[in-house]
Amino acid sequence: MAAPDHRGVVPVFFWFVLLTLPAMAGAQTILNGYFVEANGILVMEAESIGTFPDDWKNASTSTAPDLDLSRGEPTGGDYLSWEGAQFFDDPGVSVLVYRFQINNAGTYRFRWLSQVGFGTDTTEHNDTWLRIEADAFYGEQEGGSIVCPIGYDPAENDCTGGVPNGDGGDGWFKVYNTGANSWSWTAVTGDFDGHRIFARFDQPGLYELKLSARSSFHIIDRIVLSSDLYPNSPTSPGIPESEFVPDNLPPNPDNLFNDGFEAP
């Protein structure tokens, strides 16, 4: 009996991947409201995005096998974890958009509380794509070296510097933690020569912080932006989440947009 002829037959899985990935790449889940900076500090719990699209998970749905709580529970009792395919070269997949209001113009340092959720190698499963829509978004070492996101638009990002070692594109930084088998506040870009992350806001107004899927099981708890105006430690677990102002928009149960948004 002759073997069946499969020429011209496209497997169903192929079509699933072909149809699903472009949709994920173009989709944004946008926070239904915005957080408010006060006195030089902005605090957002990563899970406050509200809707968990695609393979983003929170504590109740995560399957991260190596979550370490020896240093305490997540600050808000929950966290965020990407648990789908890894996108090492493709920023902009399944984007989460956090909107926030800056009241005090200036330069803010970005930090997050995160950890590796899979395995014990602290150089794997330890990063996520980051983009902050600000007047300037850049990485800087204490010695003064500055890097700009690969592929950024100079009309949108007033950054002057080199490029970070490693991956990047379309104005996104690969941001990673180091030595984080448990909770760590490290957040740097540039392989082997970490640059801290900064955003400059020249005037009060509404801005965006975006996360995009990269490594699976990188667990993100809390996100903080702070300026020199804030006199205390911005990583203190006792700081409450910033004030949240909900949108007065029509109900949108999926909270899913493909073409960006206009601020209210």
Side-chain angles (χ1 to χ4, degrees):
M1 180 177 181
D5 187 351
H6 294 294
R7 289 175 297 176
V9 178
V10 180
V12 172
F13 177 75
F14 171 83
W15 287 112
F16 172 80
V17 172
L18 185 65
L19 295 173
T20 301
L21 288 183
M24 291 171 61
Q28 295 188 102
T29 297
I30 302 175
L31 182 69
N32 193 25
Y34 57 92
F35 287 97
V36 180
E37 170 267 324
N39 301 316
I41 191 165
L42 177 79
V43 178
M44 303 181 291
E45 299 292 346
E47 67 275 6
S48 292
I49 192 67
T51 299
F52 295 86
D54 304 321
D55 288 308
W56 290 104
K57 308 294 182 182
N58 67 349
S60 65
T61 58
S62 173
T63 59
D66 297 304
L67 175 67
D68 182 4
L69 300 179
S70 63
R71 296 184 184 176
E73 296 289 330
T75 54
D78 205 348
Y79 59 79
L80 182 73
S81 173
W82 172 256
E83 300 187 6
Q86 304 192 98
F87 295 95
F88 297 136
D89 302 311
D90 302 298
V93 173
S94 193
V95 175
L96 305 181
V97 181
Y98 299 80
R99 297 186 293 170
F100 58 93
Q101 177 176 304
I102 291 293
N103 292 320
N104 296 282
T107 298
Y108 286 70
R109 181 178 171 184
F110 168 85
R111 296 175 174 89
W112 60 23
L113 184 62
S114 70
Q115 67 167 280
V116 172
F118 184 87
T120 58
D121 186 342
T122 57
T123 66
E124 301 291 338
H125 303 280
N126 67 334
D127 51 56
T128 296
W129 294 111
L130 171 72
R131 180 170 174 168
I132 300 176
E133 307 294 350
D135 292 283
F137 173 48
Y138 59 95
E140 184 174 5
Q141 290 181 325
E142 291 188 19
S145 171
I146 293 176
V147 293
C148 303
I150 296 172
Y152 77 99
D153 183 350
E156 299 178 355
N157 183 358
D158 181 24
C159 181
T160 301
V163 295
N165 292 329
D167 301 321
D170 297 328
W172 294 83
F173 274 138
K174 165 193 167 182
V175 178
Y176 63 92
N177 59 23
T178 58
N181 284 131
S182 190
W183 298 120
S184 168
W185 280 103
T186 305
V188 294
T189 192
D191 293 349
F192 310 113
D193 67 344
H195 289 63
R196 299 172 299 170
I197 309 299
F198 293 90
R200 193 189 79 230
F201 307 102
D202 292 342
Q203 60 186 2
L206 284 174
Y207 296 90
E208 297 177 349
L209 182 152
K210 300 179 179 180
L211 301 180
S212 171
R214 192 174 192 277
S215 290
S216 60
F217 299 108
H218 178 218
I219 297 174
I220 305 171
D221 178 15
R222 172 170 277 204
I223 297 168
V224 173
L225 289 171
S226 63
S227 74
D228 291 340
L229 184 65
Y230 187 71
N232 303 313
S233 171
T235 61
S236 171
I239 303 173
E241 189 172 33
S242 296
E243 175 191 358
F244 180 74
V245 179
D247 276 339
N248 295 317
L249 297 176
N252 184 1
D254 294 328
N255 200 27
L256 187 64
F257 297 78
N258 288 319
D259 299 313
F261 74 98
E262 293 182 0

